[in-house]
């Protein structure tokens, strides 16, 4: 549910990124409101994942600005880049769920969830453990607190990843194709957790190829192609009356691949 506040929670202005001679992001402008779910759609290679990585400075943008709650991400007020330690602290305000899970294999589920609150935010261990346990219960893993990633299914690993992102109490969570590495029968359990987060007002920026989920959950669809935002619209408009030929072609191809599903 989008906030009525006139100040965006997250703001991207003129964000650009090159890899060698290839322009991957070309002047991206995007605001996300408090409590809003924005789903980013587009063909492979359109810059969607790079956009998320530039938002939290896992990739350094070549130009443009990222602000969270009015505070610049990645650059100090004097124009200098933040140190790695400063960036680590700021990234705790931008929760991230990766398509490849990115769990520490030598830590249990609850230890993975506790890692950033303990070692980056420096919160009290007893409090962090109680909160981590509650978060694992919240994502349906009450019996898996002490399991190592090797003993978990892909869907369970991704739900640990979501609990880990929530553990740092971020105002927004970014999801980079969170179901793309999962077997089809495991996709639903992850999407159900994300649906619940949206209902509870957690702001989310979601790169996804799950069209039905985007249509059902998103407050707004952002369609990207060749490093640019081509179209932005509410889901009920985007999926029924896309304005651009590029979006119409993308949706038609998806319907052909899925037998007509949205």
């Amino acid at each position: 549910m989008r906030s009525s506040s006139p100040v965006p929670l997250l703001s991207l202005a003129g964000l650009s990124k090159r890899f060698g001679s290839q322009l991957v992001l070309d002047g991206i402008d995007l605001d996300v409101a408090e409590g809003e779910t924005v789903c980013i759609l587009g063909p492979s290679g359109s810059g969607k994942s790079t956009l998320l990585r530039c938002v939290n400075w896992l990739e350094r943008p070549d130009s443009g600005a990222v602000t969270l709650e009015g505070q610049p991400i990645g650059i100090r007020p004097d124009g200098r880049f933040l140190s790695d330690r400063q960036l680590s602290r700021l990234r705790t305000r931008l929760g991230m769920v990766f398509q490849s899970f990115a769990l520490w294999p030598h830590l249990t589920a609850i230890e993975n969830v506790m890692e950033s609150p303990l070692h980056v935010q420096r919160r009290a261990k007893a409090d962090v453990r109680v909160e981590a346990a509650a978060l694992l219960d919240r994502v349906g893993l009450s019996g898996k607190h002490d399991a190592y990633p090797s003993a978990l299914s892909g869907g369970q690993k991704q739900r640990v990843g979501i609990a880990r992102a929530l553990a740092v109490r971020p105002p927004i969570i970014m999801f980079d194709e969170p179901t793309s590495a999962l077997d089809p029968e495991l996709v639903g359990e992850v999407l159900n957790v994300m649906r619940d987060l949206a209902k509870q007002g957690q702001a989310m920026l979601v790169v996804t190829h799950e069209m039905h989920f985007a249509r059902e959950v998103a407050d707004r669809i952002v369609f990207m192609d060749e490093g640019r935002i081509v179209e932005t619209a509410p889901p009920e408009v985007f999926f029924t009356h896309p304005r651009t030929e590029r979006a119409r072609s993308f949706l038609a191809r998806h319907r052909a691949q899925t037998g007509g599903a949205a």
Side-chain angles (χ1 to χ4, degrees):
M1 183 67 67
R2 187 187 305 194
S3 168
S4 59
S5 170
V7 179
L9 173 66
L10 177 70
S11 184
L12 317 181
L15 209 61
S16 295
K17 177 67 180 179
R18 285 184 180 273
F19 292 113
S21 62
Q22 183 181 9
L23 183 61
V24 181
L25 296 178
D26 187 7
I28 298 292
D29 296 319
L30 178 64
D31 290 342
V32 180
E34 183 180 349
E36 184 180 24
T37 297
V38 175
C39 285
I40 303 177
L41 310 181
S44 297
S46 58
K48 306 182 300 295
S49 293
T50 300
L51 176 62
L52 295 193
R53 292 179 66 84
C54 284
V55 170
N56 66 7
W57 279 59
L58 289 171
E59 296 285 354
R60 181 182 292 180
D62 294 325
S63 60
V66 180
T67 58
L68 180 65
E69 297 177 317
Q71 180 179 356
I73 299 294
I75 298 179
R76 301 190 325 194
D78 61 7
R80 295 183 180 181
F81 295 123
L82 296 181
S83 68
D84 288 343
R85 178 176 293 183
Q86 290 169 323
L87 270 176
S88 292
R89 289 174 182 161
L90 275 175
R91 286 191 188 114
T92 64
R93 300 172 60 223
L94 289 158
M96 185 80 170
V97 177
F98 300 90
Q99 56 182 299
S100 57
F101 318 131
L103 300 180
W104 295 103
H106 62 290
L107 300 180
T108 64
I110 196 167
E111 288 169 343
N112 266 280
V113 176
M114 293 171 64
E115 184 73 6
S116 286
L118 278 180
H119 299 295
V120 180
Q121 295 179 325
R122 304 291 184 182
R123 287 158 50 193
K125 185 173 183 178
D127 294 340
V128 167
R129 177 171 284 277
V130 169
E131 188 169 323
L135 287 170
L136 287 170
D137 294 350
R138 179 178 172 184
V139 299
L141 294 174
S142 57
K144 300 293 184 178
H145 292 192
D146 297 320
Y148 287 91
S150 60
L152 300 174
S153 70
Q156 289 170 336
K157 290 176 187 176
Q158 197 58 291
R159 283 185 281 156
V160 174
I162 294 173
R164 179 182 58 185
L166 288 167
V168 293
R169 304 171 182 170
I172 186 168
I173 299 179
M174 300 186 294
F175 293 82
D176 185 12
E177 296 279 12
T179 61
S180 65
L182 301 180
D183 293 332
E185 65 269 20
L186 301 177
V187 169
E189 63 189 51
V190 172
L191 295 182
N192 285 337
V193 172
M194 295 172 66
R195 287 186 181 95
D196 288 342
L197 292 176
K199 290 176 184 176
Q200 293 160 13
Q202 173 68 59
M204 299 191 292
L205 187 59
V206 184
V207 170
T208 184
H209 62 274
E210 299 288 346
M211 299 297 160
H212 181 74
F213 169 82
R215 186 169 189 167
E216 174 191 355
V217 175
D219 294 298
R220 190 159 40 111
I221 301 294
V222 170
F223 178 70
M224 289 184 64
D225 189 37
E226 297 183 345
R228 301 182 181 93
I229 293 177
V230 177
E231 188 165 341
T232 302
E236 62 271 17
V237 174
F238 178 80
F239 285 103
T240 57
H241 297 95
R243 296 192 315 272
T244 63
E245 178 56 37
R246 191 67 190 87
R248 288 191 289 270
S249 173
F250 173 81
L251 291 172
R253 185 168 63 252
H254 174 77
R255 292 186 184 108
Q257 292 171 347
T258 59

